[in-house]
DNA sequence: CTCCTGCATGCTCTA
DNA sequence: AGAGCATGCAGGAGT
């Protein structure tokens, strides 16, 4: 019952339908006429009286209850490290609730739905229509006082008072209660959208398979969209707004609060919702069903509590829109920030009965990219991708899954209601994030876990990207500098390792996917992501997995170790640089690419500039250049590309001069590393190197041409970052380090065997004060294929 | 210049 | 096809 109900409805005596008997709340005494009245009976005049004082005191405001909430938080936090992060794709039978031990099993037997309070096990429920009646019971007497599950829906709970008249199809909810009552065959279309799974397994109604299965402890953790217990028939909620709360959560919450939690609806926050504007668009049906009716566009203030008892006042209003209304909650920013919600997270609106206090909970998306996804509610398993925990709705200890956990756990929610203080950081974050997760992101159907995977592979992606096999770069000459342009995006290939002899002979090593043996390949070979010995057409003697390896195990280890260390350092340096520069993800990619290119550059004396790593959506100046950018540019060309390149070249030249002057001032560096003169460095660079393929592949391909074409002509890397000299230098240094490591480690032995020269330890100096670096900076040799983010370009422009 | 407000637009989803 | 809704945008207010 909502606070804005008229007093009669809200009295809680007869009409309120919340009868407390022996510590149990029963809501089965509602009158049907009230049910049919629903919200329509609500007078707008009462809307302002949103929260009777008793409500808060009784439900949330009460310190004891609040403690319980916190207790719940703690318990759940402790006991459920990641339970809800796993969506229902995981085996629910292996729910943490079960893992926590049998002592947490509630009287529902194997349902195991109670993990909240060991001493106060909510065992009473009446979930006939999606709401629950719980109570605390003496542990010594845990029992289940279920309402007669055969009780027809004509005996609805309080929750129905706002709902559509009984008997309307949409009112048959796919909860186990309903399922139990209706049997599976009576599933209505409304249910079918959610596959009508038993969502209230605790409702032990023997005789149904559904419940039988549910009782195996699977369903309590099932986050299943529950059709709202109430709602106007006219405004059937779309399944996407069905609240998804596990039985456990409801039981715990309700049980511990001696109240009934009525999940009303939920909504995945859009970028706009989570943005700075502070407007949360309410689903029309939800707004009209669960919020007070408003006739004026200005609307009415609505008080909503969060789980900590903080009370937020939002302006519930609407805008005229296409002969309809668009309902919004205004002023939600503090609340959103308090919950540290972002686009993709889910806010859940529930109601605490008796009292009708609105409770706004939330559920974190497992990943920030898991944003508005229309498919969310209709996942095959009925789960929510961002299956955090509705419990967190009440725990105020948001734990965004994944890497965000710490961020949110560090947040202190001890603030007062409507206190936006201390939320500025979040505000800043939202300022950034909200825009990023924009209209495009909302249609990004990438699942959160996919995103995680992508995130993981993001770093790895550079190892796998290479120019498309069929790509024929277009040579573009700008200011006497040649560029290679690729029309095709890069492709993924199998990771390989390259070795090089001082003579220039290079080898590529690939590992068979089947036998894991390393096979030597021509250096210019581009392998598909999946490759096995049988595909080794270059060495027929080793085209089967049974063929012995060409190198010993130790050599392999050396090879891998060197490669690993190399990459590790490279990434570390890359990240360092990235952190320093605070680039975007794209920048990071570009940075990594630049580093890789630097390495590639160092190995070879000259390559042409190419862009093998450009992906669809790449915003580097090559990718964004107009079609006119293709082909040969005249020196007088004033297109964006040419202008940018010219600027860049100028910048590079300035930096070169600057560095030269610095070097003159700091000769010590040279003194300490006298070996690192130009000659030696060049020799070194042509020495052995162990690299992962991403730079090598391009390098290998470019090598073939570049060694012919090459080094003399100045070639500008469109992707190199003129403002990131350090990065380039680091890249060079990294390359040096990697080379040194490769040499200093047992790779030496390998080198000897395969005839690859090692490098001297003196080159461990990470200062690439070599001519190579200078050459790179000066534009004498520009290679690299890392793409450049737009931001870089902007920076350049600025 | 930034932020806020109200509305409009257009995409997406549902019936 | 219509409705819903996410977001863009213009105009006004505030800083």
């Amino acid at each position: 019952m909502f606070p804005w109900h008229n007093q009669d409805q809200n009295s809680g005596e007869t009409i309120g339908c919340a009868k407390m008997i022996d510590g149990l709340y029963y809501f089965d005494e509602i009158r049907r006429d009230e049910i049919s009245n629903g919200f329509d009976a609500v007078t707008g005049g009462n809307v302002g009286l949103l929260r009777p004082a008793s409500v808060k005191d009784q439900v949330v405001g009460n310190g004891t209850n609040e403690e319980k909430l916190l207790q719940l938080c703690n318990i759940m936090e402790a006991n459920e490290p990641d339970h809800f992060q796993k969506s229902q794709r995981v085996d629910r039978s292996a729910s943490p609730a079960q893992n926590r031990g049998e002592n947490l099993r509630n009287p529902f037997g194997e349902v195991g739905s109670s993990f909240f309070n060991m001493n106060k096990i909510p065992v009473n429920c009446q979930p006939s229509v999606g709401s629950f009646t719980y109570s605390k019971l003496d542990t010594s007497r845990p029992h289940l006082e279920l309402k007669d599950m055969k009780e027809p829906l004509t005996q609805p709970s309080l929750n129905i008072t706002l709902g559509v008249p009984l008997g309307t199809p949409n009112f048959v909810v796919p909860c186990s209660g309903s399922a139990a009552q209706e049997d599976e065959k009576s599933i209505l279309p409304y249910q079918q959208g959610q596959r009508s799974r038993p969502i209230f397994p605790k409702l032990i109604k023997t005789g149904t398979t559904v419940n039988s299965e549910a009782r195996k402890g699977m369903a309590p953790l099932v986050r299943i969209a529950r059709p709202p217990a109430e709602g106007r028939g006219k405004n059937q909620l779309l399944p996407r707004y069905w609240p998804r709360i596990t039985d456990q959560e409801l039981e715990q919450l309700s049980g511990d609060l001696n109240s009934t939690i009525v999940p009303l609806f939920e909504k995945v926050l859009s970028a706009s919702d989570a943005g700075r504007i502070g407007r949360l668009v309410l689903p029309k049906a939800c707004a009209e069903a669960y919020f007070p009716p408003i006739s004026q566009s200005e609307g009415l203030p609505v008080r909503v509590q969060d789980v900590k008892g903080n009370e937020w006042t939002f302006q519930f209003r609407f805008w005229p829109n296409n002969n309809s209304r668009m309902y919004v909650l205004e002023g939600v920013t503090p609340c959103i920030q308090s919950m540290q919600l972002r686009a993709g997270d889910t806010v859940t609106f529930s109601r605490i009965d008796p009292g009708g206090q609105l409770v706004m909970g939330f559920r974190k998306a497992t990943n920030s990219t898991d944003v508005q996804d229309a498919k969310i509610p209709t996942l095959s398993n009925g789960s929510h991708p961002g299956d955090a925990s509705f419990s967190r709705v009440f725990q105020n200890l948001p734990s965004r899954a994944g890497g965000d956990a710490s961020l949110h756990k560090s947040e202190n929610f001890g603030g007062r209601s409507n206190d936006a203080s201390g939320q500025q950081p979040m505000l800043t974050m939202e300022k950034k994030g909200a825009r990023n997760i924009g209209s495009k992101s909302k249609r990004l159907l990438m699942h959160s876990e996919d995103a995680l995977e992508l995130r993981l592979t993001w770093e790895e992606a550079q190892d796998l990207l290479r120019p498309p096999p069929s790509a024929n770069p277009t040579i573009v000459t700008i200011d006497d500098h040649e560029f290679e342009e690729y029309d095709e995006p890069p492709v993924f290939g199998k990771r390989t390792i390259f070795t090089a002899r001082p003579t220039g002979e290079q080898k590529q090593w690939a590992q068979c996917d089947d036998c894991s043996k390393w096979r030597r390949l021509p250096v210019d070979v581009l392998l598909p992501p999946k490759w096995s010995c049988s595909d080794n057409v270059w060495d027929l003697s080793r085209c089967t997995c049974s063929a012995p390896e060409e190198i010993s195990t130790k050599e392999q280890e050396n090879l891998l170790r060197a490669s690993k260390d190399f990459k590790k350092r490279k990434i570390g340096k890359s990240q360092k640089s990235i952190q320093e520069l605070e680039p975007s993800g794209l920048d990071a990619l570009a940075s990594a690419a630049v580093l890789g290119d630097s390495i590639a550059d160092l190995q070879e004396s000259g390559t042409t500039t190419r862009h093998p790593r450009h992906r669809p959506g790449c915003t580097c100046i090559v990718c964004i250049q107009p079609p006119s950018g293709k082909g040969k540019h005249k020196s007088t060309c004033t297109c964006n590309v040419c202008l940018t390149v010219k600027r860049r070249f100028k910048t590079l030249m300035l930096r070169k001069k600057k560095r030269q002057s610095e070097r003159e001032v700091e000769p010590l560096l040279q003194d300490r590393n006298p070996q690192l003169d130009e000659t030696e460095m060049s020799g070194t660079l042509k020495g052995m190197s162990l690299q992962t393929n991403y730079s090598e592949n391009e390098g290998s391909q470019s090598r073939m041409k570049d060694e012919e074409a090459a080094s003399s002509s100045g070639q500008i890397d469109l992707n190199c970052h003129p403002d990131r000299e350090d990065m380039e230098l680091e890249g060079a240094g990294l390359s040096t380090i990697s080379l040194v490591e490769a040499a200093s480690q047992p790779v030496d032995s390998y080198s000897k065997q395969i005839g690859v020269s090692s490098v001297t330890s003196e080159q461990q100096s990470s200062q690439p004060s070599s001519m190579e670096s200078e050459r790179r900076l000066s534009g004498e040799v520009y290679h690299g294929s890392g793409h450049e983010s737009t931001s870089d370009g902007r920076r350049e422009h600025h």
Side-chain angles (χ1 to χ4, degrees):
Chain A
M1 187 72 63
F2 283 90
W4 48 78
H5 288 179
N6 57 48
Q7 278 308 112
D8 289 340
Q9 286 179 313
N10 206 22
S11 63
E13 295 177 0
T14 302
I15 303 176
C17 307
K19 187 171 74 175
M20 190 170 183
I21 301 175
D22 191 21
L24 305 178
Y25 279 113
Y26 294 95
F27 291 88
D28 56 346
E29 300 186 7
I30 190 168
R31 298 197 308 261
R32 291 200 56 183
D33 53 346
E34 294 167 347
I35 296 168
S36 59
N37 284 342
F39 228 132
D40 295 336
V42 176
T43 60
N46 288 334
V47 173
L49 306 173
L50 293 175
R51 187 190 58 80
S54 60
V55 174
K56 183 175 181 178
D57 296 340
Q58 178 183 357
V59 178
V60 180
N62 182 285
T64 304
N65 282 331
E66 190 166 340
E67 272 184 14
K68 292 173 185 175
L69 280 173
L70 294 175
Q71 184 183 7
L72 169 66
C73 305
N74 297 333
I75 290 174
M76 299 186 70
E77 192 73 19
N79 291 333
E80 290 205 85
D82 62 348
H83 159 54
F84 292 107
Q85 299 170 14
K86 304 182 185 302
S87 68
Q88 295 177 26
R89 282 176 292 182
V90 302
D91 183 7
R92 291 165 193 142
S93 62
S95 68
Q98 290 178 325
N99 296 335
R100 276 188 296 274
E102 294 299 319
N103 59 334
L104 292 179
R105 301 286 172 85
N106 67 6
F108 298 107
E110 296 177 345
V111 172
S113 58
S114 174
F115 54 78
F116 168 52
N117 194 326
M118 302 179 191
N119 296 324
K120 298 172 183 177
I121 302 174
V123 294
N124 192 14
C125 61
Q126 187 199 12
S128 60
V129 287
S131 63
F132 296 78
T133 301
Y134 302 107
S135 71
K136 292 175 287 188
L137 291 183
D138 195 337
T139 4
S140 63
R141 190 176 58 91
H143 64 285
L144 170 63
E145 294 186 17
L146 288 174
K147 295 295 294 182
D148 183 3
M149 295 316 297
K150 297 184 176 62
E151 184 179 10
L153 284 175
T154 52
Q155 293 288 339
S157 73
L158 169 68
N159 314 303
I160 311 175
T161 57
L162 302 178
V164 297
L166 295 177
T168 53
N170 64 313
F171 195 70
V172 180
V173 294
C175 65
S176 63
S178 297
Q181 298 162 23
E182 300 296 332
D183 206 347
E184 292 174 282
K185 61 185 178 184
S186 62
I187 292 169
L188 297 168
Y190 200 50
Q191 302 170 256
Q192 290 168 352
Q194 295 298 320
R195 303 184 187 277
S196 67
R197 65 181 70 243
I199 61 174
F200 293 163
K202 61 184 175 298
L203 302 176
I204 302 173
K205 179 174 182 285
T206 59
T208 64
T209 305
V210 170
N211 280 329
S212 175
E213 292 176 357
R215 290 172 61 183
K216 293 177 182 175
M218 297 178 64
L221 297 176
V222 176
R223 186 178 303 285
I224 297 171
R226 305 164 188 274
E230 308 148 359
R232 295 168 182 167
K234 177 174 174 292
N235 299 313
Q236 293 183 7
L237 252 59
L238 295 175
R240 79 175 73 164
Y241 303 121
W242 290 0
R244 299 163 189 276
I245 180 172
T246 67
D247 297 343
Q248 280 187 350
E249 293 158 355
L250 273 179
E251 285 181 22
Q252 291 164 13
L253 297 170
S254 300
D256 202 61
L257 294 173
N258 253 344
S259 306
T260 297
I261 303 295
V262 184
L264 299 178
F265 67 94
E266 69 177 35
K267 189 201 175 191
V268 178
L269 290 180
S270 68
S272 301
D273 296 331
R276 294 174 296 166
I277 301 177
R279 300 190 294 204
L280 171 61
V281 176
L282 291 173
K284 184 183 178 186
C286 303
E288 294 181 344
Y290 306 123
F291 284 79
I294 51 177
S295 56
Q296 301 296 322
S297 177
E298 293 74 23
L300 296 161
V302 173
R303 292 185 183 179
V304 180
Q305 283 187 343
D306 65 18
V307 293
K308 200 173 180 180
N310 292 339
E311 191 169 90
W312 309 90
T313 301
F314 305 136
Q315 186 74 15
F316 172 62
R317 59 170 306 179
F318 70 88
W319 306 319
N321 192 322
N322 292 341
N323 297 325
S324 181
R325 288 180 173 184
M326 189 170 180
Y327 291 92
V328 293
L329 280 182
E330 291 182 339
V332 299
T333 297
C335 181
I336 295 293
Q337 291 177 355
S338 170
M339 296 177 181
Q340 295 201 347
L341 298 179
R342 296 192 292 183
D345 296 335
T346 302
V347 291
T348 308
F349 288 89
S350 303
R351 194 186 65 216
I352 297 178
D353 286 332
Q357 176 63 44
L358 263 185
V359 176
M360 184 177 175
F362 64 92
R363 194 168 62 244
K364 293 288 188 178
T366 55
N367 190 289
S368 59
T369 59
D370 193 7
V371 295
Q372 177 80 16
D373 184 345
K375 290 184 171 57
I376 286 175
T378 55
L379 289 177
S380 60
N381 55 11
S383 65
H384 192 292
D387 218 0
S389 171
F390 182 83
S391 61
R392 294 194 177 94
V393 164
F394 294 89
Q395 66 181 347
N396 263 346
L397 288 176
S399 65
R400 190 181 298 273
D404 293 341
S406 59
L407 169 66
H408 293 275
K409 285 189 177 183
S410 63
E411 186 75 3
N412 185 355
F413 286 92
R416 292 163 48 191
S417 304
N418 300 321
D419 183 9
S421 63
Q423 296 169 350
Q424 204 56 34
M426 187 61 195
L427 180 63
T428 304
M429 213 168 65
E430 296 220 357
K431 284 181 178 181
K432 291 180 179 178
R435 288 293 176 186
N436 292 335
I437 307 176
S439 58
K440 295 172 184 174
S441 297
K442 77 177 180 183
R443 293 171 183 113
L444 180 64
L445 302 183
M446 177 170 58
H447 193 274
S448 56
E449 293 184 8
D450 298 333
L452 284 176
E453 185 177 356
L454 175 63
R455 182 177 163 186
L456 289 175
T457 58
W458 196 255
E459 296 171 351
E460 304 292 334
Q462 293 300 309
D463 293 341
L464 307 175
L465 289 173
R466 63 269 329 262
S470 60
N472 292 320
T474 302
I475 305 300
V476 180
T477 302
I478 302 174
D479 271 358
D480 296 331
H481 297 288
E482 290 187 356
F483 300 85
E484 285 186 6
E485 291 181 351
Y486 287 84
D487 294 331
E488 299 296 326
V491 299
F492 282 89
K494 182 177 180 61
R495 178 184 304 181
T496 58
I497 294 178
F498 280 83
T499 60
R501 294 170 182 266
T503 60
E505 180 186 0
Q506 296 159 344
K507 294 179 182 178
Q508 184 179 191
W509 299 84
Q511 195 172 23
C512 173
D513 289 334
D514 297 332
C515 65
S516 299
K517 290 176 182 173
W518 287 92
R519 304 300 188 193
R520 186 177 56 171
L521 308 171
V523 72
D524 56 342
V525 165
L526 177 63
L527 295 184
K530 297 290 183 182
W531 185 86
S532 60
C533 292
S534 59
D535 301 323
N536 186 8
V537 297
W538 304 277
D539 187 355
L540 297 181
S541 63
R542 292 183 175 83
C543 63
T544 62
C545 292
S546 58
E549 283 185 303
E550 198 171 349
I551 56 177
S552 67
T553 304
K554 187 177 179 180
E555 291 164 352
Q556 294 173 28
E557 292 174 356
N558 295 339
L559 192 68
L560 293 172
R561 187 185 308 146
S563 175
K564 206 171 186 177
D565 291 344
F566 162 79
K567 183 177 179 182
K568 202 166 151 188
R569 289 171 177 271
K570 174 173 65 69
I571 291 176
K573 290 281 188 177
S574 173
Q575 289 175 342
K576 181 184 175 184
S577 300
I578 290 169
Q579 288 173 357
E580 289 170 356
L581 294 170
E582 297 180 1
S584 65
L586 199 57
D587 282 349
L589 185 61
S591 302
V594 169
L595 290 178
D597 294 337
S598 302
I599 296 157
D601 297 344
L602 288 172
Q603 181 176 0
E604 301 139 60
S605 56
T607 62
T608 56
T609 301
R610 54 187 63 217
H611 311 277
R613 298 188 197 100
H614 292 190
R615 304 173 302 109
C618 175
T619 56
C620 79
I621 60 175
V622 172
C623 291
I624 64 174
Q625 65 179 301
S628 60
K630 295 178 181 176
K632 192 130 184 165
H633 292 237
K634 295 180 180 179
S635 59
T636 56
C637 177
T638 57
C639 74
N640 287 336
V641 175
C642 295
L643 291 176
T644 302
V645 169
K646 288 174 183 175
R647 271 197 307 271
R648 185 160 305 217
F649 183 71
K650 195 173 295 181
T651 303
L652 290 171
M653 292 301 292
L654 289 175
R655 288 181 180 276
K656 175 197 171 187
K657 291 178 181 177
K658 182 182 177 184
R659 278 201 60 82
Q660 281 181 337
S661 62
E662 287 176 354
R663 279 205 314 160
E664 292 173 0
V665 175
E666 299 176 4
L668 291 178
L669 189 63
Q670 287 260 349
D671 293 342
R672 274 178 13 199
N673 302 285
Q675 312 89 311
L676 285 177
D677 59 13
E678 175 184 3
T679 306
E680 284 199 16
M681 188 51 134
S682 298
T684 298
L685 296 173
K686 292 180 180 177
M688 169 194 169
S689 69
L690 293 170
Q691 307 175 13
T692 47
N693 198 9
Y694 73 103
S695 61
E696 289 304 325
N697 203 306
E698 76 181 51
S700 64
Q701 294 194 355
S702 62
R703 221 173 286 135
M704 310 306 289
K705 308 172 196 168
D706 298 340
E707 286 180 352
E708 306 168 3
S711 54
S712 59
S713 66
Q715 293 167 334
I716 297 178
D717 179 9
L718 284 174
N719 293 317
C720 70
H721 197 314
D723 294 338
R724 294 186 185 176
E725 182 183 46
D726 293 342
M727 291 177 61
E728 293 190 43
L729 296 177
E730 284 183 25
L734 278 171
S735 182
T736 306
I737 291 173
S738 67
L739 295 174
V740 170
E741 280 197 358
S744 60
Q745 290 189 355
V747 175
D748 273 332
S749 58
Y750 168 72
S751 309
K752 292 175 183 175
Q753 292 192 23
I754 63 175
V756 175
S757 70
S758 62
V759 293
T760 59
S761 59
E762 290 82 2
Q763 293 163 353
Q764 285 189 4
S765 167
S766 61
Q767 280 290 338
S769 56
S770 66
M771 281 304 295
E772 185 68 22
S773 299
E774 290 300 326
R775 288 167 61 198
R776 287 176 46 76
L777 291 173
S778 65
E780 295 175 26
V781 179
Y782 288 101
H783 353 247
S785 55
H787 69 248
E788 172 187 274
S789 71
T790 305
S791 61
D792 293 341
R794 283 196 296 264
R795 197 175 304 152
E796 184 72 15
H797 284 288
H798 294 324

